[in-house]
Structures are given as structure tokens and as C-alpha cells.
Amino acid sequence: MYDTEVAIVGAGAAGLSLAYRLCDAAKPGGRLGPEVTLVDAPPGPLRPPERTWCFWEEPGGEYDGVLAASWDRLRVRGAGGAEVVGQPAPLRYKMLRSRDFEAAVERRLGPSPFFRRLTADVADVAELPQGAEVRGTTAGGEPVRLRARWVFDSRPPQRLPPARTVLLQHFRGWFVRTERPVFDPAVADLMDFRTPQPAHGLSFGYVLPTGPDEALVEYTEFSPAVLAREEYEQALRHYLGEVLKAGPYEVTGAEQGVIPMSDGRYPRRVGQSVFRIGAAGGATRPSTGYTFAAVQRQTRAVAEAYHQGRTPVPPPPHPARSRAMDAVMLRALDSGRVDGDRFFTGLFEHVPMERLLRFLDGHTRMREDFAIGLRTPVLPMLRTVAELPWLRRRSLPLRTGPGDGRP
């Protein structure tokens, strides 16, 4: 006997997306949705802060009605100020605030008779002879035991899987309002390398304008350890004042985060009835940190498998060839064999933007991947390819340094 057919641990992008797709029974020939219980952490440090997700797709996506903004022109700036501007048509770059996504999904889930929410701090998920049990406590300290046929766990892992390379993509962003028009609302800046570069890794500015005088402006590093909050804010003040020449501005909000970029192999099935989804199931693209689009692909595939009566095992979120190329890129950056500024600006300069974005989503063919590889520093990359098979995978600690990755 089960308390619920499906238990989903964590109400972030992966958990909410899977709940919505499982409860959506409006599929031709599909079965009725299962009873789904979404277990969310109580308010506090275990619940993730509000954040922004970005992704690219064609117009007409299912979340277009709640986007904060979108752009059909993208720009990369080199350290010397040279610009590469492109239009990835038919794709658009889209920005979605987590609060708007959550509200939209909850509106869609609201009428479902198959869905319920439970607030608890989950301690572990235990395998049963048939099914699994989610164990935890409520905010009031009462024990919780929830038995389910299938459990999908989206909580961040306590430790990264063994890897040959681990870098951290860590950032802090300010939502700013300037006194005068500073931004071009038609263009999003993906990477602006006119920032002081760290001794190990790379840094860049990231600008998503929502109007001529409003934007999300982030300072981002790919490096081994995070910074203290004041170091991020000093970098943001320098970038806004000295690089963008923004003049007087008001900070209306902030976000901060840490994304592990690793060639570790994230397990997606950890028991006969227990699976990991989202970033915990490898949805984060190791070379870029983008996660949201892969989460949508992964949860859609899980729901389709369930509705078709198959075991709902989450599929690999990224093709094996993409993961292999990411491992080479990460090692080349971490070893210092390639310069991050020249590497990324060279790709955007010489590869059509639409093709490059399809490549980053793992949707290019092998001959396209080979052509893109020729636009990278070939000799350092070949040396890295030869080195990787001899490197041992190790359980590397997360070097979080003086900051903790939370706003």
C-alpha cells in the first residue's frame, strides 16, 4: 500500500515541472495522471532563494506568457572591447523569474485532483521491497513518512560525483535602475570580458536589459572557489561604473549563486524506485551552467514514459558526445591551456550563433561538432584530449571559500 503513487522531493524547476507534466492527463491515448505528492522544504535556508533562469528556444514556448523579457540579438565583448553581435533566429534568448514560473505552474496544477503538497524537511529516501519511503520532519518537528511507488529527488547532492575537473560558476547580480538610458533593450550581453581576470579561471559581465534604464547586471567567474559578498559587489560597482559608464543607479534587487561545472557522472537511478532529476540528475550543462531547458526535456520524457506505462527512468539530459566535449573544454580551461576570453569570443565570432546555441543544447550533428571544434585552439585541445583518459576521477570537495553561495 502506498500513500501516493509518485513523491517528488523539492519544489524547484525540476520538481514543479515534473509534477505538472505527470498531472497533465490531456494527452491523446494517455492514461490518467498518477497521484503526485510534492514535498517542499519549509521556509528557511533549505528552500532556494528567488532566482532567474535563461534559455533559448523558438517563439511560442509554453512559458512565453510569463517571461520577464526575451531578446533576438545577443552580444559577446572581448577584453579589448571588440563586439560580436548575432541573431540566432529562429531562436530567442528568454529570461524567466522563478517566482513567475512557480506561480504559472501552480495555477495549472491547482485544478488537478491528482496533486497535493506537503511541507517537510526531508532527511532521506529509503528503498522498500516495492517502492520507497520519504522520511523527514515538519516545521513543527513532527515525523513524516511518505510511501510511494516512485520517488524523484531533486535536492542538490551533498557531494559531487567523482570527476577529473571541477570548476565553479559563481556569480552575483544586481537588478538596477539608472537615471539615464544606458542599456539597449534589444540586445542581451552573454559575456563581456572587460572585467579584471582572476589568477585562475575567467570572469565576465552579463547584462540582460529589460528597458533602456533597467537591467539585470551580473558579475560571473569560472574558478575553483567562490568570493565573499563584498568582492562580488566591488566587482559589480567597477563594472557598472568604469566599464558600462552607467552613472547614478539604484539597486532594486539581487541574486547570487554557485553552479558546479564538472565532468562527473551524475546517477539518475539510485534505487529500483528512486530517481534523481534536475541538477541532481545531471541536467546542468557542464560547459555553460545552463539547466532549465534540459530540465524541461528530462521531465517531459519521464512523464511520457509514465503515461505510456513504462518505467519512468530519467533519460540522460545531454548526449554522451556533448559531455565528452565539455570534459575537454573544462580541463583545458582549468589547466590554463586556453584563454577563456579568446576561446569564447572566437567561437561566437566564427560560428553562426544559431548553430552555436544548438551545439550548446546538444542538437548538432557530428560534422557540425567537428567544424565547431576547428574554431577552438586546436593544439591545446588535442593535448587535453590525449591527457583525459589517463586522469583519475576523484571526489573533489566544493571549495566554497568565504562565501556560501546564498544572497
Side-chain angles (χ1 to χ4, degrees):
M1 295 293 294
Y2 304 115
D3 301 311
T4 187
E5 174 76 2
V6 174
I8 300 172
V9 181
L16 283 168
S17 297
L18 181 58
Y20 164 64
R21 297 186 192 288
L22 284 171
C23 292
D24 177 19
K27 295 178 182 291
R31 342 191 269 176
L32 288 177
E35 184 180 42
V36 174
T37 301
L38 182 66
V39 186
D40 194 12
L46 293 178
R47 186 174 287 189
E50 186 178 327
R51 56 235 181 262
T52 299
W53 296 309
C54 290
F55 56 100
W56 46 86
E57 65 177 5
E58 295 186 21
E62 60 185 326
Y63 301 116
D64 275 14
V66 291
L67 293 176
S70 67
W71 302 267
D72 58 10
R73 296 173 63 204
L74 304 176
R75 178 167 53 202
V76 172
R77 296 180 190 259
E83 297 183 7
V84 180
V85 183
Q87 292 183 282
L91 304 177
R92 289 183 67 87
Y93 194 67
K94 302 181 179 183
M95 179 171 74
L96 178 62
R97 301 294 301 274
S98 61
R99 66 185 179 197
D100 298 327
F101 168 78
E102 291 163 10
V105 172
E106 287 171 358
R107 283 196 299 271
R108 298 175 187 181
L109 283 169
S112 173
F114 308 112
F115 176 72
R116 69 185 177 111
R117 295 190 75 145
L118 176 65
T119 300
D121 177 2
V122 174
D124 63 21
V125 177
E127 190 83 13
L128 300 176
Q130 289 187 337
E133 186 175 66
V134 177
R135 299 170 180 172
T137 55
T138 67
E142 296 295 321
V144 170
R145 290 179 177 268
L146 179 70
R147 292 167 298 172
R149 176 66 185 92
W150 308 107
V151 175
F152 296 89
D153 193 347
S154 67
R155 293 173 300 164
Q158 295 295 314
R159 192 171 182 85
L160 294 179
R164 294 165 295 194
T165 308
V166 175
L167 285 174
L168 301 180
Q169 180 180 158
H170 50 104
F171 57 89
R172 184 168 177 82
W174 283 344
F175 292 88
V176 299
R177 181 179 297 117
T178 59
E179 289 187 0
R180 60 183 178 83
V182 173
F183 308 108
D184 181 353
V187 183
D189 284 285
L190 294 185
M191 288 179 160
D192 184 347
F193 289 100
R194 296 176 297 167
T195 52
Q197 296 300 307
H200 188 162
L202 60 95
S203 74
F204 55 88
Y206 179 57
V207 183
L208 301 181
T210 54
D213 58 354
E214 292 184 324
L216 169 60
V217 180
E218 289 188 352
Y219 172 79
T220 301
E221 282 194 13
F222 293 1
S223 62
V226 304
L227 308 177
R229 178 186 290 194
E230 176 54 32
E231 292 178 278
Y232 292 113
E233 298 201 338
Q234 182 180 351
L236 281 166
R237 286 192 292 268
H238 173 269
Y239 183 62
L240 279 159
E242 303 300 322
V243 178
L244 297 183
K245 309 292 185 185
Y249 59 86
E250 174 190 6
V251 178
T252 60
E255 65 176 29
Q256 185 168 326
V258 181
I259 303 171
M261 302 171 67
S262 155
D263 66 349
R265 299 165 180 159
Y266 287 79
R268 302 180 309 282
R269 188 170 193 169
V270 292
Q272 286 300 308
S273 301
V274 184
F275 310 99
R276 289 183 180 152
I277 57 172
T284 300
R285 182 72 192 262
S287 61
T288 64
Y290 285 100
T291 305
F292 187 81
V295 161
Q296 301 310 307
R297 294 194 298 268
Q298 190 182 61
T299 55
R300 188 180 295 114
V302 168
E304 286 176 357
Y306 178 86
H307 284 294
Q308 293 169 7
R310 297 183 281 113
T311 302
V313 181
H318 304 289
R321 190 167 76 248
S322 297
R323 297 196 306 272
M325 290 185 291
D326 285 355
V328 174
M329 189 277 281
L330 284 176
R331 180 65 183 176
L333 284 176
D334 192 40
S335 65
R337 291 194 188 110
V338 300
D339 175 85
D341 170 15
R342 289 197 291 268
F343 180 87
F344 286 107
T345 55
L347 282 177
F348 278 92
E349 183 177 3
H350 295 109
V351 179
M353 198 164 283
E354 184 268 342
R355 183 185 302 170
L356 188 55
L357 295 187
R358 284 194 296 108
F359 168 77
L360 294 177
D361 260 346
H363 292 159
T364 45
R365 296 182 292 273
M366 185 177 292
R367 62 182 179 84
E368 291 176 301
D369 292 346
F370 181 75
I372 290 172
L374 293 178
R375 297 301 186 179
T376 66
V378 174
L379 291 179
M381 300 298 276
L382 287 176
R383 180 181 172 187
T384 305
V385 168
E387 176 190 52
L388 275 177
W390 305 99
L391 296 177
R392 184 168 59 91
R393 293 181 182 271
R394 298 176 294 152
S395 294
L396 301 172
L398 282 177
R399 293 162 284 182
T400 54
D404 65 0
R406 294 191 296 270

